[in-house]
Amino acid sequence: MGYLTTTYENFGVIVEVDSLPYCEVIGDIGIISFIRRRKPHLVSFDGERAYTEHPEELAKVAATNKNYKLVFVPVKA
């Protein structure tokens, strides 16, 4: 399964990758909240943005339960 990513420097250019680091999650807030209610360890919110330490698992849950693809922005440490 490939994962969709973009960067703020080149926002909107979507690239498919095989693995991901810690990421910001871009997607429908309703779907992200739905997943968080069922699997709270997958998504955290800072009040404005969603983040994940488990992007591969989160992407699989979104695709399986909602037939939805999330976009991830790798966070630089």
Side-chain angles (χ1 to χ4, degrees):
M1 175 178 186
Y3 307 98
L4 304 178
T5 66
T6 191
T7 63
Y8 283 115
E9 295 81 18
N10 213 2
F11 199 79
V13 176
I14 306 295
V15 177
E16 191 168 320
V17 297
D18 293 328
S19 65
L20 295 167
Y22 178 72
C23 303
E24 180 179 341
V25 182
I26 299 174
D28 182 89
I29 187 67
I31 291 174
I32 295 171
S33 296
F34 171 85
I35 294 169
R36 179 157 167 69
R37 285 191 299 275
R38 282 152 183 77
K39 296 188 180 273
H41 70 283
L42 292 182
V43 180
S44 62
F45 288 102
D46 72 356
E48 186 176 308
R49 298 177 185 207
Y51 296 93
T52 185
E53 293 180 10
H54 310 282
E56 288 90 355
E57 188 178 351
L58 179 59
K60 288 177 187 173
V61 170
T64 302
N65 291 317
K66 292 293 188 176
N67 196 26
Y68 189 79
K69 288 191 175 187
L70 298 167
V71 175
F72 299 94
V73 178
V75 176
K76 295 178 181 153

